[in-house]
């Protein structure tokens, strides 16, 4: 009996490992185009930035390479949630994943860990590219009091990218539409910076100076502590079984009235293109 029990335990462990490996492979395949696209765009911008500075004969009119590279991890954090969650909700593949013999906790954890791993890779790529293109003069911009030093002197940038990543997962789990989830992500992503700016104005200090950087990190940590449990709750609610739709009898169905006044207000078009434009505008008024 003990031998059979140990064999069953090994089989269950192998099945769990294989399912986790399969999920990691699927999630990485979903994020890979975004990561490759951002890295290619980063290289192109650096090359174009160098060409502009060489043509003008001065780097005063060119953006610092390190500033450009620090933007791309944030862009990756913004798109990871809508890709891993929002796209699957729009294509209804998330419903198929919920029917598999995989716990909701494992599904949520795998997607979040893949997003965090991708964000770490983007930060490593940003550090390598800044060091390669800028050399010893890298890691300095905006004056001596603004984020000068090595990569580990940029805690606000790194923490804020993690906060944006988790917030992106939260709005994607909470809102089905990818467009509306991205719209909702904008005020959430800027909330720690807005709080830091308000505090800096009250204290009479310069925004994002050395004295205020610690406050930006504090507000970002508070936001992360608030958004993370919201994300878990929204994900568990999305993956939980939904209630059956309410059934109506024919007598309960509302009667549709096609009066002559309603038919008279229907637009009439003289061209074939006009109806298509009118339909696209009226079918997605909220999106426009």
């Amino acid at each position: 009996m003990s031998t059979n029990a140990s064999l069953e335990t090994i089989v269950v462990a192998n099945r769990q490992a294989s399912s986790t490996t399969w999920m990691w492979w699927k999630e990485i395949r979903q994020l890979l185009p975004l990561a490759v696209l951002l890295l290619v765009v980063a290289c192109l911008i650096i090359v174009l930035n160098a060409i502009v500075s060489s043509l003008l004969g001065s780097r005063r009119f060119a953006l610092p390479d390190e500033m450009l590279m620090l933007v791309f991890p944030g862009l990756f954090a913004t798109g990871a949630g809508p890709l891993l969650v929002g796209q699957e909700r729009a294509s209804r593949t998330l419903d198929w994943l919920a029917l598999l013999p995989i716990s909701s906790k494992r599904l949520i954890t795998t997607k979040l860990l893949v997003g965090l791993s991708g964000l770490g890779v983007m930060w490593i790529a940003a550090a390598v590219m800044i060091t390669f293109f800028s050399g010893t003069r890298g890691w300095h911009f905006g004056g001596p009091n603004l984020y000068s030093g090595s990569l580990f002197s940029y805690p606000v940038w790194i923490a804020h990218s993690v906060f944006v990543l988790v917030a992106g997962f939260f709005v994607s789990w909470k809102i089905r539409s990818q467009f509306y989830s991205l719209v909702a992500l904008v005020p959430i992503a800027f909330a720690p910076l807005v709080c830091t700016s308000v505090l800096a104005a009250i204290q009479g200090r310069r925004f994002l100076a050395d004295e205020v950087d610690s406050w930006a990190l504090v507000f970002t940590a508070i936001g992360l502590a608030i958004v993370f449990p919201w994300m878990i709750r929204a994900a568990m609610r999305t993956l939980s079984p939904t209630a059956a739709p309410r059934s109506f009898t024919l007598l309960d169905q509302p009667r549709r009235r096609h009066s002559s006044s309603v038919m008279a207000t229907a637009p009439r078009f003289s061209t074939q293109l006009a109806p298509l434009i009118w339909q696209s505008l009226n079918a997605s008024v909220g999106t426009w």
Side-chain angles (χ1 to χ4, degrees):
M1 293 294 293
S2 60
T3 305
N4 294 333
S6 60
L7 289 176
E8 291 179 358
T9 303
I10 294 174
V11 170
V12 171
N14 290 335
R15 288 179 179 176
Q16 291 179 352
S18 61
S19 63
T20 303
T21 304
W22 170 80
M23 285 190 61
W24 273 80
W25 175 84
K26 183 186 74 68
E27 305 299 333
I28 291 174
R29 286 290 301 270
Q30 285 186 253
L31 277 184
L32 190 59
L34 176 63
V36 173
L37 177 63
L38 289 177
L39 292 176
V40 171
V41 172
C43 294
L44 291 177
I45 289 179
I46 286 182
V47 172
L48 292 176
N49 199 31
I51 293 175
V52 171
S53 62
S54 62
L55 292 177
L56 296 177
S58 174
R59 293 190 59 88
R60 293 185 306 169
F61 303 98
L63 294 175
D65 295 334
E66 53 269 25
M67 180 182 294
L68 294 174
M69 291 303 99
L70 291 174
V71 173
F72 286 96
L75 293 178
F76 177 87
T78 304
L83 273 179
L84 294 180
V85 178
Q87 187 177 14
E88 295 216 53
R89 295 189 69 180
S91 60
R92 298 186 180 275
T93 55
L94 190 63
D95 300 335
W96 174 75
L97 289 176
L99 295 175
L100 295 177
I102 302 173
S103 63
S104 300
K105 182 179 179 181
R106 173 174 294 183
L107 182 61
I108 299 168
T109 304
T110 302
K111 287 183 175 293
L112 183 60
L113 289 179
V114 170
L116 290 173
S117 301
L119 182 61
V121 171
M122 292 298 296
W123 273 112
I124 294 175
V128 171
M129 295 179 71
I130 291 175
T131 304
F132 178 77
F133 286 101
S134 301
T136 56
R137 64 175 179 81
W139 307 106
H140 297 275
F141 64 89
N145 295 325
L146 285 178
Y147 301 108
S148 59
S150 63
L151 175 64
F152 299 99
S153 300
Y154 293 79
V156 178
W157 290 78
I158 299 175
H160 189 262
S161 64
V162 175
F163 170 74
V164 172
L165 178 73
V166 177
F169 275 96
F170 164 66
V171 296
S172 299
W173 285 114
K174 186 71 174 179
I175 305 174
R176 179 177 291 273
S177 174
Q178 289 181 278
F179 174 77
Y180 292 126
S181 63
L182 287 174
V183 172
L185 179 60
V186 173
I188 298 176
F190 281 97
L193 300 180
V194 171
C195 295
T196 306
S197 178
V198 171
L199 183 62
I202 294 175
Q203 296 179 347
R205 296 179 178 179
R206 192 157 55 101
F207 177 56
L208 290 183
D210 286 344
E211 298 83 2
V212 192
D213 289 350
S214 58
W215 285 108
L217 188 61
V218 168
F219 283 122
T220 303
I222 293 175
L224 186 60
I226 295 174
V227 173
F228 183 78
W230 287 358
M231 185 268 294
I232 298 295
R233 188 181 308 172
M236 295 298 294
R237 185 175 301 176
T238 302
L239 295 174
S240 62
T242 58
R246 183 181 176 184
S247 60
F248 295 92
T249 62
L250 293 177
L251 297 178
D252 296 333
Q253 294 290 339
R255 296 181 179 180
R256 297 182 178 180
R257 300 179 179 179
H258 298 283
S259 61
S260 59
S261 60
V262 175
M263 297 298 295
T265 57
R268 296 181 179 180
F269 305 100
S270 57
T271 62
Q272 296 180 355
L273 181 61
L276 297 176
I277 298 176
W278 180 86
Q279 175 64 23
S280 62
L281 293 177
N282 287 272
S284 55
V285 177
T287 303
W288 287 113

